[in-house]
């Protein structure tokens, strides 16, 4: 097993961030998308990464759809399956198949604000801080062992400013953590406790975001 397969549904800005990382892009074996109109598909094309459109509407059950995705994923024999704005609930069958190999990024400090429109939910709740969570996926929606969390201030932000701050941090944090996964720096102590090894060049890699990312 080596490399990653990335699953997307929409814009694909996190996929772009992974692709723009020179050390990571060579590890992206394939992209799967469940939405034929997703702008993110053009990013895969631009970087010459094979992409597959699997439209969930064409399957009678969630598991049938997931089994078809798994067939394609397994053809690449990836070490990790990376969810980057993949907006479908995955079946327990799929989640178990990729136990501790399935990683998600969510735009809130989990377990707060699960589900869709997490940034709007946090803004409406008038929280003072929000952020992002990178975690292994379990069959409970937007839960699972936390690998890293990034924090942004919501003080005197508009909704658009908050969204912008979270997305900017996502685009630094996700490539950083996926690199840590691929370089064996993410240790699973038990099914709930994840410890990420620090490196001396982390400060340089994260730059001004170093103090915003907790891992
Ligand atoms: C990202 O903000 C990601 O955290 C979120 O979808 C967005 C996808 O943007 N994921 C979820 O809400 C998962 N529950 P992108 O397509 O531009 O990468």
């Amino acid at each position: 097993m080596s490399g990653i397969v990335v699953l997307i549904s929409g814009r694909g800005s996190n996929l772009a961030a992974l692709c723009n990382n020179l050390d990571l892009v060579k590890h992206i074996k394939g992209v799967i998308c469940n939405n034929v109109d997703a702008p993110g598909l053009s990013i895969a094309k631009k970087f010459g990464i094979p992409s597959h459109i699997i439209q969930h509407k064409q399957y009678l059950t969630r598991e049938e759809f997931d089994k078809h995705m798994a067939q394609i994923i397994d053809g690449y024999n990836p070490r990790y399956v990376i969810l980057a704005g993949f907006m479908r609930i995955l079946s327990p069958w799929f989640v178990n198949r990729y136990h501790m190999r399935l990683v998600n990024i969510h735009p809130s400090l989990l377990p707060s604000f699960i589900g869709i429109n997490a940034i709007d939910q946090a803004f409406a709740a008038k929280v003072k801080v929000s952020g992002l969570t990178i975690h292994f996926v379990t069959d409970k929606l937007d839960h699972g062992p936390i690998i890293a969390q990034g924090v942004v201030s919501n003080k005197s932000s508009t909704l658009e400013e908050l969204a912008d701050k979270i997305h900017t941090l996502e685009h630094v944090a996700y490539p950083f953590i996926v690199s840590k996964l691929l370089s064996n720096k993410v240790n699973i102590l038990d099914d709930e406790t994840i410890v990420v090894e620090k490196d001396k060049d982390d400060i340089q890699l994260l730059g001004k975001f170093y103090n915003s990312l907790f891992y």
Side-chain angles (χ1 to χ4, degrees):
M1 283 189 292
S2 68
I4 61 175
V5 168
V6 183
L7 273 51
I8 63 167
S9 296
R11 188 170 63 142
S13 67
N14 280 287
L15 171 65
L18 296 169
C19 290
N20 281 319
N21 181 305
L22 287 182
D23 292 327
L24 265 185
V25 65
K26 55 181 181 271
H27 296 289
I28 309 175
K29 295 175 151 186
V31 168
I32 296 178
C33 181
N34 65 325
N35 168 13
V36 70
D37 298 317
L41 283 165
S42 64
I43 294 161
K45 194 168 171 202
K46 177 177 159 201
F47 284 89
I49 299 164
S51 59
H52 306 260
I53 300 164
I54 312 178
Q55 291 181 270
H56 55 268
K57 287 182 195 131
Q58 292 175 355
Y59 297 82
L60 286 177
T61 64
R62 199 176 286 283
E63 200 166 303
E64 239 179 90
F65 167 72
D66 285 358
K67 284 193 168 154
H68 189 191
M69 275 206 304
Q71 211 181 349
I72 292 173
I73 292 169
D74 294 350
Y76 290 110
N77 200 22
R79 191 150 163 223
Y80 293 102
V81 178
I82 302 296
L83 306 179
F86 186 71
M87 303 310 261
R88 287 284 300 165
I89 293 175
L90 295 159
S91 62
W93 178 87
F94 187 92
V95 171
N96 290 333
R97 185 175 187 85
Y98 301 104
H99 180 67
M100 299 312 243
R101 291 169 55 210
L102 185 58
V103 180
N104 184 40
I105 187 163
H106 183 78
S108 77
L109 294 171
L110 291 175
S112 294
F113 312 120
I114 65 170
I116 58 165
N117 302 328
I119 300 175
D120 304 63
Q121 292 181 54
F123 188 78
K126 302 193 189 298
V127 294
K128 301 293 185 202
V129 292
S130 191
L132 62 90
T133 304
I134 299 169
H135 64 102
F136 286 112
V137 175
T138 61
D139 56 15
K140 197 169 163 198
L141 179 68
D142 292 329
H143 279 75
I146 291 174
I147 304 169
Q149 287 187 302
V151 176
V152 307
S153 161
N154 184 33
K155 273 198 272 177
S156 58
S157 296
T158 62
L159 173 61
E160 291 67 33
E161 283 163 350
L162 177 64
D164 202 47
K165 281 190 262 185
I166 291 175
H167 290 138
T168 302
L169 185 54
E170 284 191 330
H171 300 157
V172 176
Y174 217 13
F176 178 80
I177 292 297
V178 173
S179 298
K180 290 274 189 191
L181 283 159
L182 289 174
S183 54
N184 305 316
K185 300 268 167 68
V186 177
N187 302 305
I188 301 167
L189 297 194
D190 55 53
D191 261 13
E192 286 170 359
T193 316
I194 310 298
V195 175
V196 181
E197 286 173 34
K198 304 263 196 285
D199 283 309
K200 57 178 182 326
D201 56 357
D202 289 358
I203 299 181
Q204 202 186 329
L205 286 172
L206 291 169
K208 66 177 180 178
F209 299 102
Y210 181 70
N211 289 321
S212 309
L213 192 68
F214 295 80
Y215 58 98

